[in-house]
Amino acid sequence: MRRGSSRMNSSYWMGAVLLGAVLVPSLLAPWLSSADPLLIEPFSRFAQPGPEHLFGADALGRDVFSRTLYGGQTSLVVGAVVTLVTVALGATIGATSGFFRPLDAVVMRIMDGLMAIPGLLLAIALAATFGNSLMTVVVAIATPEVPRVVRLVRSLVLSLREELYVMAAVAVATPRPVIIKRHIVPNALPALVVLATYICAAAILTEATLGFLGVGVPPEYPSWGNMIAEARISFQVAPWLILFPSLFLTITVLGVNLLGDGLRDSLDPKLAEKI
Amino acid sequence: MAFAVFAARRLASMIWVMLFVALFVFSLLYLAPGDAATVIAGEDTSPEDVERIRKGLGLDQPFHQQFLIWLGNILQGDFGISIFSNIPVLELIGQRLDPTISLTLTTIIFSTLVAVPFGVIAAWRSGSLIDRSLMLFSAICFAMPAFVLGYCLILLLSLQLDLFPVQGFVPISDGIGPFLLAITLPTLMLGTVYIVLIARITRATVMDVLNEDYIRTARSRGLSEREVLIRHALPNAAVPIVTVIGLGFALIIGGVVITETVFNIPGIGRLTVDAINKRDYPLIQGIIILTSAVYVIINTIIDILYVYIDPRIRL
Amino acid sequence: MKFRNPLPTLALTVSLVLSLPALALAETTIRFATGYDLESIDPIWTTAGGAFRHGYMVYDTLLAKDADGLTHPQMLESYDISDDSLTYTFTLREGLLWHDGTPVTAEDCVASIQRWGARDGAGQVLMEYMSAMNTIDDKTFEMVLSEPFGATIDTLAKGAANVPFMMPKRVAETSPDEQITEYVGSGPFIFVEEEWVPGSKIVYRKNPNYVPRDEPASDVAGGKHVHVDRVEWLIMPDQQTALSALMAGEVDILESPTIDMLPIVDQTEGLTTTQVNRDGWVGMVVPNHLHPPFDDPRAHEALAWLIDQEVYLQAIAGNPEYSKPCASLFACGTPMSSDIGGEALSGFDKERARELFEEIGWDFDEPIVLLNADDPAINSSILLTAQALRSIGLTTDVQSMDWSTLAKRRTSTDAPEDGGWNIFITYGSAGSRHNPFFNASYSAACADGWFGWACDEELETLRAAWPLGETVEERQEIARAYQERAFTVGSPWIPFGQWAEPVAHSETVTDFVPIGTGVVVFWNMRKSESAAD
């Protein structure tokens, strides 16, 4: 292999640094910004970036710096929750389905069905159906992603079942949960972790997209998607309104993706084919 | 024989999948809180008027009745009538096909033309500065929300440099020049993610192929790098690349919704957003069912072709 | 043998002759970017904005109100009211033709009024007074009332949705609960059905057979002269895209640029703005009268003390040039408006508001449910209202949804914690809020009334009495009494000001006719090859 380990590490580190650059200020938002991200001051609408408002003020006079940092919290929460839900649910369904053949056919038809609906279309339909709430957005983004995890885990389980040591464990009637815990989980983990980072990045982007289409988290929440969606109308009057959240969003997704690439390459170079 | 069985099984499963999609889409919209009747009624009407309109639309029937009637109609090719425009759903979708198909095709052609060489070069010079900057650039494009890219393109190439129209769609029948001019920016916007996807896969597969023994043999026989790449590496990497181009269809369908909104293109994507905003149930159902069907059919064909082309794949 | 007035034929010939040189020139097309889709194409079946606008293109009305609120015949030659005020006789103008070339008859008008009367709120009231409608001859019909109804002519001249547009008999015989499927009118423009792409493009061409009145155009009354061959409505929900298209010269008129966009329009060479929405919009905070705290008039007063109209308008319009505070329930600047009873509304007093909520005994920890929708004006005013409520220590629960969900949710009479609500905000055309009678939102008919279910017998009596007022002064008296009573017992809604976006357009387009209800009309409008100096 000509690829040196330096490249893998470099994308890993670069990802971590970029992500940290957004994560840390977002978590420290209450200390970094004194302005209330929700406070409306119509008379300072479209204030330019300056000492008063570091990143300027939006159409309702709310502080963009503060909103960008708090918006980061929303985006990261969406990313994290979607990832956890998707991986937990997908792994459970995938493992169960791989081990219990009778279930498999039904489960896989359902997963095929879900995958047959283009992801964003499904998310929009779900988000529009159940109204604006953080919960809805998480469900809407997670639903189209679940089948991806299910498929990955199921195929891992199916191939692991053929391995001698697993067959042996089955032969001596080891309880299935024990087999899953002892043999399947450790083998599936690297692939899951890497897939999880990609899902996380996709979730953050999809949150913004749903916000853009007006079916994202409730507009009173500061979220990057909502900020960009609201700033769109005043794109030419106050370009900074769209600039800062977009920049933070791009950095975050880039960071998460690079982190995933780095993890993939250092955990198992062969993973690229499976995911 | 095994192949015929496989193909038949694959086709049969398609039906189940579509049935599931139908049930899912129907129950989803059945549960929806928004109500077309209230939107139709407008702003200055009384609650009784709204109730009357609901009855008129059959929105007060029980679930299974609404579903069975609906499914039966769909099987006969009747997707119902749009609640708002009072025009059959299929006709509405038909009106919007031209822009979306044009945009999808230009995007696939453009992306493939850009992404494949991009990926091959990156693989060939893997680890070099070119590879790394290409990959970083692709990573940034992958991370940027498509609509932000769209507005940047409009601001820079349309409003500042006055090169392309800001919005709209010109059918190809109005001349190839105007058609291309109008579709360039949307294609650039929609193509970005797709380019990155294809480029990444191309890079990975070409890199794998370059490590194969026969490539080493070819190289050791003194073939030029260009010949090695074009004559040996690329054809062998073609199957996964073609697959990804097909699979990316779902990505494009999602992207079309955003692109058509930004560039005001009267295609399926905008129809979808409008239908959802107005809770036009028959229209939403029709669009999701039909796009899913197209997607399933494309995937089935690819699956079958894949097995047909590459017998190593386990049936 | 009936004497035919030669004038229309003459006018037709003259206009044909005059239009001949124009034939040699290229067609003039006005491209109009609008956010209003034609949700439904039937302006009698729905009050939605798109259909309302479409109605004024394709159809004409028997009567119409001018900019001063005076009623004039439009399709009518004249009308006559019997001495006992029970029989109204209407005579149509000569030469009126449907778009398919057949003449407009009295029968068509009778059928159209019947369909509209089954659907429209004010029309339903008129129908209650009506005992019969008879066609006398091709051009004449009469309306016989069972008892005098002073607002008959005003009701038929109604300029807000649903407007009584005239349709051919075969179309007007469509059930009022179903949409029409044939789009033939007698208005100044013809709908080009083949080019209609719902949700994207609507095309109209000039009606060559239209006979305008001789009077100058004023609001929707007067002569509707068409100087362009074609009008294309391009539906652009994204205002940013629409603005870019206007700047790039891809459209001629942008219907509703946000007020923030106006400086850009002004700076762009060749673009300008014109105020055609004469009355603009009225912002309305709607409290739910069924549930505490707004089942108590004192909570309404407290809310009024908390609403600082200038702040709301600043958040929505950001420019006093395009907005004005108005402490009246009737559009400011129109005859019925007054500031009676509006002290709390013109003032801002947090202390007073807090005291009032304390007097009621309201639990400050109980959340007040506010419904928010995905509309910039609604979103900003809901957030401001919530912020104001919180500023006196109240608890709020802002629930966001898209407009269609809100439109459904507001019909719920359940308690706020069970899926109901306390407050929602909307805005309506000030042009249809000139008096308490014609608009459903002034209803105080309890469960049968408008959302919020204001409930007061006296308000209902005053509402019903208004059209019976014989003079403007009498009607003003009634409107003042209505407003005073409303602000005392809890108004159906609390206004938070008026605003109006102008249209942005290319300088090549001139001669807009301002309309009270804000609809953009294309008669009289001219488009030149290059901007006039």
Side-chain angles (χ1 to χ4, degrees), chain A residues 7 10 18 38 54 62 86 99 105 124 126 187 217 220 267:
Chain A
R7 201 193 87 82
S10 77
L18 288 177
L38 300 180
L54 204 54
R62 294 174 296 197
T86 313
F99 258 108
I124 298 172
L126 279 170
N187 278 297
V217 299
E220 60 273 13
L267 285 174

Side-chain angles (χ1 to χ4, degrees), chain A residues 2-275:
Chain A
R2 286 201 304 171
R3 282 184 292 173
S5 62
S6 67
R7 201 193 87 82
M8 303 161 198
N9 282 335
S10 77
S11 75
Y12 180 80
W13 282 114
M14 207 151 96
V17 168
L18 288 177
L19 189 59
V22 177
L23 199 62
V24 173
S26 289
L27 292 177
L28 295 181
W31 293 276
L32 283 177
S33 168
S34 55
D36 177 353
L38 300 180
L39 183 73
I40 302 168
E41 293 176 301
F43 288 94
S44 54
R45 72 203 304 261
F46 297 133
Q48 299 223 355
E52 187 90 0
H53 298 284
L54 204 54
F55 288 179
D58 71 4
L60 295 179
R62 294 174 296 197
D63 184 67
V64 175
F65 177 64
S66 182
R67 288 180 72 74
T68 308
L69 296 192
Y70 281 95
Q73 293 185 355
T74 312
S75 293
L76 293 167
V77 164
V78 169
V81 175
V82 166
T83 310
L84 282 178
V85 169
T86 313
V87 170
L89 206 65
T92 314
I93 298 175
T96 320
S97 162
F99 258 108
F100 302 97
R101 299 301 292 186
L103 260 180
D104 192 45
V106 179
V107 171
M108 289 323 284
R109 280 301 86 73
I110 294 176
M111 291 302 135
D112 286 346
L114 279 181
M115 283 186 95
I117 306 174
L120 188 65
L121 223 58
L122 180 57
I124 298 172
L126 279 170
T129 306
F130 298 109
N132 297 68
S133 78
L134 201 57
M135 175 76 182
T136 309
V137 168
V138 167
V139 172
I141 301 174
T143 309
E145 298 281 356
V146 168
R148 281 170 69 185
V149 183
V150 171
R151 286 199 153 189
L152 174 78
V153 172
R154 177 178 170 272
S155 73
L156 282 173
V157 170
L158 287 183
S159 65
L160 285 170
R161 274 165 59 113
E162 316 269 306
E163 298 284 341
L164 271 180
Y165 57 93
V166 178
M167 284 165 86
V170 174
V172 297
T174 316
R176 274 177 183 168
V178 177
I179 300 180
I180 291 179
K181 195 177 155 201
R182 205 176 286 162
H183 302 296
I184 311 287
V185 171
N187 278 297
L189 211 54
L192 270 184
V193 167
V194 175
L195 185 60
T197 59
Y198 295 146
I199 289 178
C200 182
I204 293 174
L205 264 182
T206 311
E207 185 274 323
T209 305
L210 292 180
F212 172 82
L213 293 171
V215 288
V217 299
E220 60 273 13
Y221 280 78
S223 101
W224 293 334
N226 287 348
M227 292 175 69
I228 296 172
E230 285 165 16
R232 195 154 56 107
I233 290 181
S234 36
F235 180 44
Q236 290 174 45
V237 189
W240 62 89
L241 293 183
I242 219 166
L243 175 74
F244 291 111
S246 305
L247 202 64
F248 272 64
L249 177 67
T250 308
I251 292 174
T252 309
V253 177
L254 185 61
V256 178
N257 272 336
L258 288 176
L259 200 66
D261 288 353
L263 277 174
R264 181 194 62 200
D265 293 353
S266 58
L267 285 174
D268 178 359
K270 279 273 143 200
L271 271 181
E273 290 168 23
K274 292 183 191 156
I275 293 175

Side-chain angles (χ1 to χ4, degrees), chain B residues 35 39-44 47 52-53 83-84 87 92 95-96 151 165-167 262 264 266 270 278-279, chain C residues 37 39 45-47 119 177 179 196 198-200 236 238 241 244 250 402-405 408 410 426 433:
Chain B
D35 183 336
V39 180
I40 287 165
E43 200 33 34
D44 300 323
R52 205 182 43 197
I53 295 176
I83 292 178
F84 285 94
I87 289 177
L92 277 179
Q95 277 180 336
R96 303 298 192 94
Y151 286 117
V166 221
Q167 57 91 38
V262 169
N264 195 43
R270 258 200 57 202
K278 283 189 271 181
R279 299 290 183 277
Chain C
D37 187 8
E39 289 99 345
W45 189 72
T46 176
T47 62
R119 195 80 206 183
D177 295 331
Q179 299 192 54
W196 180 32
S200 172
M236 298 191 184
D238 185 324
T241 306
S244 302
E250 290 162 26
D402 58 287
W403 174 254
S404 59
T405 309
K408 170 112 192 272
R410 66 176 177 179
T426 186
R433 283 168 178 79

Side-chain angles (χ1 to χ4, degrees), chain B residues 32-54 56-57 81-87 91-92 95-96 99 151 154-155 158-159 162 164-169 258 260-267 270-271 273-281 283, chain C residues 37-41 45-48 118-119 121 124 160-162 176-181 183 194 196-200 234-238 240-241 243-248 250-251 284 374 402-405 407-411 424 426-428 432-433 439-441 447-451 453:
Chain B
D35 183 336
T38 50
V39 180
I40 287 165
E43 200 33 34
D44 300 323
T45 40
S46 69
E48 306 147 54
D49 287 338
V50 173
E51 208 37 53
R52 205 182 43 197
I53 295 176
R54 275 179 62 79
L57 295 172
I81 288 172
S82 153
I83 292 178
F84 285 94
S85 52
N86 214 15
I87 289 177
E91 194 183 322
L92 277 179
Q95 277 180 336
R96 303 298 192 94
Y151 286 117
I154 291 179
L155 195 63
S158 296
L159 293 178
D162 202 15
F164 302 101
V166 221
Q167 57 91 38
F169 171 77
I258 316 284
E260 291 185 354
T261 306
V262 169
F263 288 97
N264 195 43
I265 294 171
R270 258 200 57 202
L271 188 66
V273 175
D274 289 350
I276 285 176
N277 280 334
K278 283 189 271 181
R279 299 290 183 277
D280 194 335
Y281 298 135
L283 190 51
Chain C
D37 187 8
L38 207 51
E39 289 99 345
S40 151
I41 202 163
W45 189 72
T46 176
T47 62
R119 195 80 206 183
Q124 286 164 4
N162 308 90
D177 295 331
E178 275 165 37
Q179 299 192 54
I180 55 170
T181 50
Y183 315 117
E194 314 84 75
W196 180 32
V197 183
S200 172
L234 304 165
I235 296 146
M236 298 191 184
D238 185 324
Q240 185 56 47
T241 306
L243 175 65
S244 302
L246 179 70
M247 291 169 73
E250 290 162 26
V251 295
M284 305 151 73
D374 53 352
D402 58 287
W403 174 254
S404 59
T405 309
K408 170 112 192 272
R409 177 80 179 270
R410 66 176 177 179
T411 63
F424 81 88
T426 186
Y427 52 94
S432 44
R433 283 168 178 79
N439 197 285
S441 69
D448 293 332
W450 201 61
F451 317 101
W453 306 283

